[in-house]
């Protein structure tokens, strides 16, 4: 225990659930044990529902009671210069000394962790004074220092030089007042006035305000762009090494684990199925579930590889006393469950593009412009912020056209403007030779049978008061495509079968399905009217890696079966490359470059595209070894 800061022994957590008149317990965490060494990062990886977040809540003493209950196990914590303690035995009042003080946590959704009616500075100062007995002024100065540490504010010397250069003056007092004014402006911002990456940095500053020995980061980069994600990972690595802090990093993305973890714990259905060093897990995974997770990631150096699912590697069978037992499927070689990688030669890719060009364009966009008005005094519109600025391109019949860029670059606005869900300020959108921008509402409604969209969040896309059968049949009823209750039911069941869902579940509600199942339901609804063209707007960005693989395979299979044309919107270039024939990169409402998926990925021409590609977590043994060597070098410098 000399170098061990956290020792979890036999942790078991159960949640009570109603099942008719009887009550039973669901075991969310089942006899989990692991250790964390001082100054190291433990990555806990697994799918949604595997027990990752519940384990972290148990460490913090935040398991909701009821319905949750820690039924057994010990959580031994040994902060520096203090005796070890079993956190399970600590009374609630005393637990506040550890929670937020010695142990801090960054939650998955930073916006929901902040109070929208208070400024960010107020909430940061509140967190500081909760654990330190200092004055308001001292807390303010410390808060500014924390914002500088997480790079929300530049260092005072740098900001002084920046202001001096902008104002072109030598008056030191005036420059100092302007510096303080800009620091105050950042402190006075409300959460809604900050981007996702800025809010996540603020949450890191709040978590570090008490100088904790242990930081728990629960999916801190899930909803962030790849470039912002890379920045946050760099920041966490730097803070960990500079402060000598230990960290538990929870995620479902093994690529991120490769970037930041020293040790890895893999969880599935509440059980810890494999632990080891990050290099061992990536080079020599021993459990079939870990192999499945690694294989489910789109490989950056392979094009159009058929992705497997975790079920290709493992199965759950009844074990002793009827409890589920995870085991490998009976096969001599785990690799035999993995479809071989299919490399497409340059000649085959050229033939594919020529075939698409021969079919002609299904969609043609000419000089499209979409702006959002900015109102001034008395409600007058002073100017427009251009979300899409003079964009032109073509999409061929049967093609998957990838659209990538950071949040705010105009991807989603462009996708909705193509379907006339947002009216453009200028330009033309031609679909099968018809200018959609000139059609009236009634004419556009007819065209929408052939144009559909799959939204990013499947839960908010479905009416929680409608069964999935009603949701899928709604477009059929609106357009009068099928009449008769029996015919509608048969069509809905057929669509559910097409997307790999249970056709007998038509009377269930959206909340009764997982994220991946809900996304399949949204895909089934989009297919209801036999469309020719579908916009997939970040349709897999919030899904676990194995569920993401299933949905990507499904979209490809449906494209062949229904002869669909896709615009596939994402900020993840590795996923877009797997799906797309051509890719368009957007930045600040404009096109950076358009090219084949292979050319964009392997030979990017623009600096912006190169930055996007370099920010993708590689998750290769070579990358892991490079990071380890770099960390040793940084430690020597510190």
């Amino acid at each position: 225990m000399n170098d061990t800061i956290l020792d979890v022994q036999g942790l078991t957590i159960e949640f009570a659930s109603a099942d008719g008149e009887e009550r039973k317990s669901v075991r969310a965490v089942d006899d989990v044990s692991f250790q964390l060494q001082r100054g190291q990062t433990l990555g806990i990886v697994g799918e949604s529902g595997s027990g990752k977040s519940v384990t972290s809540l148990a460490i913090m003493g935040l398991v909701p009671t009821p319905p949750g209950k820690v039924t057994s196990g010990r959580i031994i914590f040994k902060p520096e210069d203090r005796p070890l303690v079993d956190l399970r035995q600590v009374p609630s009042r005393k637990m506040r000394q550890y929670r937020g003080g010695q142990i801090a946590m960054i939650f998955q959704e930073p916006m929901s962790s902040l109070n929208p009616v208070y400024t960010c500075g107020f909430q940061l100062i509140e967190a500081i004074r909760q654990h330190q007995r200092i004055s308001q002024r001292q807390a303010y100065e410390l808060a500014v220092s924390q914002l500088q540490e997480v790079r929300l504010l530049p260092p005072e010397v740098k900001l002084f030089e920046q202001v001096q250069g902008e104002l072109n003056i030598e008056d030191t007092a005036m420059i100092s007042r302007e510096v303080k004014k800009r620091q105050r402006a950042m402190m006075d911002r409300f959460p809604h006035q900050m981007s996702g990456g800025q809010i996540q940095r603020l949450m890191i500053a709040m978590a570090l305000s008490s100088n904790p020995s242990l930081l728990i980061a629960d999916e801190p980069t899930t909803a962030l762009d790849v470039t912002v994600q890379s920045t946050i990972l760099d920041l966490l690595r730097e803070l960990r090494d500079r402060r000598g802090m230990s960290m538990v990093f929870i995620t479902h993305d093994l690529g991120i684990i490769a970037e930041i973890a020293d040790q890895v714990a893999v969880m599935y259905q509440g059980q810890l199925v494999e632990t080891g060093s990050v290099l061992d897990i990536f080079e020599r995974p021993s459990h079939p579930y870990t192999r499945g997770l690694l294989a489910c990631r789109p490989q950056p150096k392979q094009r159009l590889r058929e992705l497997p699912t975790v079920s290709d590697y493992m199965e759950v069978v009844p074990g002793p006393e009827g409890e589920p037992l995870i085991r490998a499927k009976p096969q001599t070689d785990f690799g035999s469950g993995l479809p071989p990688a299919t490399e497409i030669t340059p000649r085959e890719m050229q033939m594919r593009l020529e075939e698409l060009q021969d079919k002609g364009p299904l969609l043609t966009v000419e000089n499209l412009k979409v702006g959002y008005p900015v109102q001034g005094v008395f409600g007058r519109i002073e100017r427009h912020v251009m979300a899409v600025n003079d964009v032109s391109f073509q999409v061929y019949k049967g093609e998957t056209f990838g659209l990538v860029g950071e949040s705010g670059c105009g991807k989603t606005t462009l996708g909705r403007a193509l379907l006339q869900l947002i009216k453009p300020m200028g330009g033309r959108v031609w679909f099968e030779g018809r200018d959609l921008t000139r059609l009236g509402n009634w004419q556009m409604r007819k065209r929408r049978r052939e144009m559909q969209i799959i939204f990013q969040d499947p839960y908010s896309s479905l009416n929680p008061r409608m069964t999935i059968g009603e949701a899928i049949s709604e477009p059929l009823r609106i357009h009068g495509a099928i009449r008769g209750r029996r015919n509608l039911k048969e069509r809905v069941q057929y669509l559910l079968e097409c997307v790999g869902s249970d056709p007998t579940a038509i009377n269930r509600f959206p909340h009764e399905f997982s994220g991946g199942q809900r996304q399949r339901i949204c895909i089934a609804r989009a297919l209801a009217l036999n469309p020719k063209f579908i916009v997939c707007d970040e349709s897999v960005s919030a899904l676990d890696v194995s569920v993401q693989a299933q949905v990507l395979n499904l979209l490809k299979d449906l494209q062949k079966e229904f002869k669909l044309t896709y615009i596939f919107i994402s900020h993840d270039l590795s996923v877009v490359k797997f799906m797309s024939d051509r890719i368009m990169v957007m930045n600040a409402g404009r096109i950076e470059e358009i090219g084949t998926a292979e050319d964009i990925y392997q030979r990017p021409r623009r600096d912006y595209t190169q930055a996007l590609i370099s920010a993708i977590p590689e998750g290769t043994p070579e990358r892991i070894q490079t990071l380890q060597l770099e960390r040793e070098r940084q430690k020597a410098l510190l």
Side-chain angles (χ1 to χ4, degrees), residues 57 81 91 96 105 122 164 174-175 219 232-233 257 285 289 395 429 443 501 615:
L57 290 175
D81 302 328
R96 292 180 66 181
M105 187 166 182
F122 175 87
Q164 187 177 31
M174 187 179 293
I175 296 172
E219 301 267 15
I232 295 296
L233 292 177
I257 286 291
Y289 176 69
V395 181
V429 179
Q443 293 172 306
S501 293

Side-chain angles (χ1 to χ4, degrees), residues 594-634:
I594 301 177
T596 65
E598 197 69 22
D599 284 344
I600 292 291
Y601 204 95
Q602 299 296 342
R603 294 172 291 276
R605 299 191 305 271
R606 304 297 293 268
D607 292 341
Y608 179 78
T609 311
Q610 293 172 10
L612 282 179
I613 294 171
S614 63
I616 299 172
E618 293 181 17
T620 61
E622 295 78 15
R623 171 64 175 168
I624 294 169
Q625 291 174 333
T626 300
L627 286 170
Q628 289 176 344
L629 290 172
E630 178 64 21
R631 187 179 182 192
E632 292 300 323
R633 190 181 70 82
Q634 291 293 337

Side-chain angles (χ1 to χ4, degrees), residues 38-41 80 104-106 124 142-153 197-217 220 229-249 259-260 262 631 634-635 638:
R38 204 174 303 279
Q40 286 194 338
T41 298
E80 200 168 353
M105 187 166 182
I106 305 169
L124 179 54
L142 185 55
V144 170
S145 175
Q146 294 282 14
L147 293 181
Q148 290 169 345
E149 187 174 20
V150 298
R151 301 175 199 159
L152 270 177
L153 279 172
Q198 289 176 320
I199 291 174
Q200 198 61 282
R201 287 169 189 244
L202 177 65
M203 293 302 300
I204 294 171
M206 292 175 71
L208 299 179
S209 60
S210 59
N211 197 26
S213 302
L214 172 62
L215 177 66
I216 300 173
Q229 172 184 275
S230 177
T231 304
I232 295 296
L233 292 177
D234 288 341
L235 175 62
L236 287 172
R237 280 197 299 263
E238 179 190 329
L239 293 171
R240 173 198 63 188
D241 295 338
R242 177 148 40 87
R243 288 170 169 252
M245 185 174 58
S246 305
M247 187 156 52
V248 175
F249 195 98
E259 291 285 315
I260 200 165
D262 300 300
R631 187 179 182 192
Q634 291 293 337
K635 277 186 175 179
L638 291 172

